[in-house]
C-alpha cells in the first residue's frame, strides 16, 4: 500500500520503476546493512552491485527477511560449482545444512564473508583439546592455523576434507619429515 515510497509512478531510469537505485532504495530503510557494507573487508557481490532482489523479494515472501528461498538452496542457486561439489563429493555437514552457520549474507569484516575469524569458525565444532585432533595436527596450536590451507571447508573427495592437490609428504602422511613435534 506504500508503493510510492519505493517506486516512481510515472517514469524511471531504474529497473522496476524504482525511484532510485535498488541498493540506495533498500538502504534507506535498512541502514545497518549499509554501515556493515561500508566497513566490510568482504562484500557479497549482489550487495556490492545493489542487486538486493537476487536474494530478496521486495514485495512479499513467506520467508523471514523476504528471502526468495532458504539457505543453502538460495546460496547454491548462484554458487553452482559449489552445489556440484556438495552433490558429487563428501559434503561437510555444516555447509550442506546452512551457509549462515559460517558466513554472513551481506558483508563481513572477515575474508570470504565469514561471520568470525577462521579459527573460531572451525573450532566451534572441532575440539582442539581432543587427543586425535592434536595428533593429526602434530600438536600445533589450533589458534595459529588457517584450516583452509589444508582442508576444503565445503566438500571434498577425501574423508578428512583435504584439498584435492596436496604436498607430497603431506599426502603420504610424512609430515614429521619437516615438522618435528
Amino acid at each position: 500500500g506504500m508503493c510510492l515510497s519505493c517506486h516512481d509512478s510515472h517514469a524511471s531510469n531504474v529497473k522496476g520503476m524504482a525511484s532510485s537505485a535498488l541498493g540506495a532504495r533498500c538502504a534507506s530503510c535498512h541502514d545497518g546493512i549499509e554501515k556493515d557494507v561500508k566497513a566490510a573487508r568482504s562484500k557479497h557481490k549482489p550487495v556490492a552491485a545493489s542487486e538486493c532482489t537476487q536474494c530478496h523479494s521486495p514485495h512479499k515472501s513467506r520467508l523471514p527477511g523476504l528471502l526468495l528461498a532458504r539457505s543453502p538452496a538460495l546460496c547454491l542457486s548462484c554458487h553452482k560449482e559449489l552445489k556440484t561439489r556438495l552433490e558429487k563429493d563428501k559434503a561437510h555437514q555444516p555447509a550442506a545444512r546452512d551457509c549462515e552457520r559460517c558466513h554472513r549474507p551481506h558483508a563481513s569484516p572477515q575474508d570470504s564473508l565469514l561471520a568470525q575469524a577462521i579459527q573460531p569458525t572451525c573450532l566451534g565444532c572441532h575440539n582442539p583439546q581432543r587427543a586425535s585432533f592434536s595428533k593429526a595436527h602434530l600438536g600445533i596450536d589450533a589458534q595459529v592455523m588457517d584450516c583452509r590451507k589444508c582442508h576444503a571447508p565445503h566438500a571434498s573427495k577425501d574423508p578428512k576434507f583435504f584439498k584435492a592437490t596436496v604436498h607430497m609428504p603431506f599426502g603420504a602422511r610424512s609430515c614429521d619429515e619437516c615438522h618435528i613435534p
Side-chain angles (χ1 to χ4, degrees):
M2 297 172 54
C3 303
L4 297 180
S5 62
C6 295
H7 296 280
D8 191 322
S9 61
H10 297 110
S12 175
N13 289 330
V14 181
K15 183 179 175 184
M17 301 261 317
S19 58
S20 61
L22 195 56
R25 173 70 7 237
C26 296
S28 69
C29 292
H30 303 283
D31 62 335
I33 292 171
E34 185 177 37
K35 288 176 190 168
D36 287 348
V37 170
K38 284 182 180 176
R41 182 178 192 170
S42 60
K43 300 169 179 100
H44 195 209
K45 285 183 183 177
V47 174
S50 294
E51 295 175 351
C52 307
T53 56
Q54 291 286 319
C55 300
H56 300 276
S57 169
H59 299 114
K60 177 173 131 177
S61 173
R62 293 176 189 231
L63 299 175
L66 295 172
L67 289 172
L68 297 174
R70 295 186 191 279
S71 172
L74 177 63
C75 304
L76 296 176
S77 68
C78 290
H79 297 277
K80 300 206 184 295
E81 179 186 318
L82 179 55
K83 180 179 182 186
T84 300
R85 285 191 6 244
L86 285 167
E87 291 170 350
K88 288 186 175 184
D89 297 344
K90 180 180 178 184
H92 190 210
Q93 283 311 298
R97 279 195 307 266
D98 182 9
C99 304
E100 289 188 55
R101 287 179 62 113
C102 300
H103 299 279
R104 287 188 176 171
H106 299 110
S108 172
Q110 306 294 327
D111 290 331
S112 305
L113 293 172
L114 285 173
Q116 54 187 345
I118 192 68
Q119 294 89 353
T121 298
C122 297
L123 298 179
C125 296
H126 301 280
N127 184 352
Q129 306 306 318
R130 291 182 62 194
S132 59
F133 184 98
S134 182
K135 182 179 177 188
H137 296 92
L138 303 172
I140 299 169
D141 181 8
Q143 296 300 324
V144 300
M145 292 184 216
D146 181 343
C147 308
R148 298 169 294 185
K149 297 275 186 192
C150 300
H151 299 281
H154 300 107
S156 174
K157 293 187 185 316
D158 187 271
K160 298 290 186 183
F161 294 98
F162 289 122
K163 290 183 172 183
T165 305
V166 297
H167 181 58
M168 283 308 291
F170 177 80
R173 305 299 191 255
S174 301
C175 303
D176 41 348
E177 286 181 19
C178 301
H179 300 278
I180 297 162

